[in-house]
Amino acid sequence: MILQDVQATPDSRGVPLDEVGVEGLRYPVLVADGQGAKRETVGTAAMSVSLGPEVKGAHLSRFIEVLHEAREQLSLSSIATLAEDLRQRMSSPTARVSLDFPYFLERSAPVTGARGFVDYACSLAAVSAPEESRVTMAVTVPVTSVCPCSKAISDRGAHNQRGHITIVVEPTDPQGGLWFDDLIDIAEKAASSPVYAVLKRPDERHVTMAAYDHPVFVEDMVRNVAQVLRTLDTIAAYRIRALNDESIHNHAAYAAVSWTRRAGEA
């Protein structure tokens, strides 16, 4: 029995489409880490292709097939390959892929060494086209910050808050060895203190005093991250955003900066 392929029939309306695909697709994946291992997680994928005016529709089952084939070794380089494979398989001018997922790292408390997992919101994205192929990675890192102004003007104590530092980078080379672990480490060092899954009383004492000794504004955190990223020849462009959920105000505070390496810039 031959089944009719309606999507393969021509369309006569003369309207090209920028994106056709799937989104909200939850899928088990393995993400490469900076230690040469793979981390199990669940990703939420969005995948699309562009269609010429004569093409009626896209075969959506192929999106899942392409993701399934790549799911066991996701990285900057493999997400670029995934997007190109999708573009070729769908015979489309452009393909786009993005994958959001929690990335877990085991952390040790600073004094007792008690261990627990902290999750970081991460993503990989790629665009594949004859005239442009681009990949990006992003991570959002929870941190603690102590207000320098509050510390300077108070007789005792200082207000502090939970915050998040988001780093989005475009690598100079997808094969260049840029890892989520590296970006997480840079973000945590830019704040007053990292956050931990497990803290005993000696750890809590240490973290509280260490944060008090390293107060930072949101502006400081963004600049601290930017200062490090500009020294890395593996990064072609970045966007950094720090946001604090203020503990003594009914609003959040944030700062952001973007940067693109100019041709010939070291």
Side-chain angles (χ1 to χ4, degrees):
M1 180 180 179
I2 299 176
L3 300 178
Q4 183 182 6
D5 188 352
V6 177
Q7 287 176 316
T9 60
D11 196 273
S12 60
R13 285 164 286 190
V15 180
L17 299 178
D18 296 332
E19 296 182 44
V20 176
V22 298
E23 65 177 29
L25 172 63
R26 288 169 56 84
Y27 219 77
V29 295
L30 298 175
V31 179
D33 66 13
Q35 291 78 49
K38 302 176 184 179
R39 298 187 180 274
E40 296 182 10
T41 187
V42 176
T44 301
M47 308 169 71
S48 69
V49 294
S50 58
L51 294 184
E54 75 287 354
V55 180
K56 180 174 289 292
H59 293 82
L60 300 185
S61 61
R62 295 178 187 173
F63 290 95
I64 289 76
E65 291 173 341
V66 170
L67 177 60
H68 186 79
E69 291 169 6
R71 63 169 291 274
E72 292 189 354
Q73 184 67 19
L74 285 170
S75 63
L76 273 172
S77 59
S78 68
I79 201 78
T81 302
L82 192 159
E84 175 62 14
D85 185 22
L86 181 64
R87 186 176 76 86
Q88 295 291 342
R89 195 173 303 193
M90 304 291 278
S91 301
S92 298
T94 305
R96 301 175 186 273
V97 177
S98 67
L99 190 72
D100 301 324
F101 50 89
Y103 184 79
F104 291 90
L105 289 178
E106 191 175 21
R107 294 305 205 196
S108 297
V111 177
T112 67
R115 301 183 69 81
F117 284 97
V118 177
D119 66 294
Y120 304 88
C122 295
S123 67
L124 290 166
V127 177
S128 176
E131 71 283 356
E132 176 193 30
S133 293
R134 183 165 51 90
V135 295
T136 57
M137 65 189 303
V139 60
T140 296
V141 181
V143 294
T144 295
S145 66
V146 173
C147 176
C149 181
S150 175
K151 178 180 176 179
I153 64 176
S154 300
D155 292 336
R156 56 187 179 275
H159 84 82
N160 59 80
Q161 48 272 316
R162 280 283 302 280
H164 291 86
I165 300 175
T166 299
I167 305 173
V168 183
V169 299
E170 183 177 342
T172 52
D173 179 2
Q175 307 282 351
L178 189 62
W179 305 103
F180 290 111
D181 310 54
D182 303 324
L183 299 181
I184 291 167
D185 183 60
I186 292 168
E188 289 181 337
K189 289 178 178 176
S192 297
S193 173
V195 300
Y196 298 87
V198 181
L199 290 174
K200 302 296 186 179
R201 281 176 295 173
D203 302 309
E204 187 171 348
R205 179 177 185 272
H206 174 89
V207 168
T208 301
M209 293 191 298
Y212 184 81
D213 289 339
H214 298 88
V216 287
F217 295 118
V218 286
E219 299 93 330
D220 296 318
M221 293 193 289
V222 165
R223 286 174 170 143
N224 289 343
V225 173
Q227 194 173 31
V228 176
L229 294 185
R230 288 198 183 192
T231 68
L232 302 180
D233 58 10
T234 53
I235 292 177
Y238 62 66
R239 177 169 174 78
I240 309 159
R241 190 175 192 270
L243 183 140
N244 277 342
D245 292 321
E246 294 287 302
S247 60
I248 63 171
H249 302 293
N250 191 27
H251 58 258
Y254 80 95
V257 65
S258 297
W259 173 81
T260 301
R261 189 182 301 277
R262 296 190 295 269
E265 185 176 0

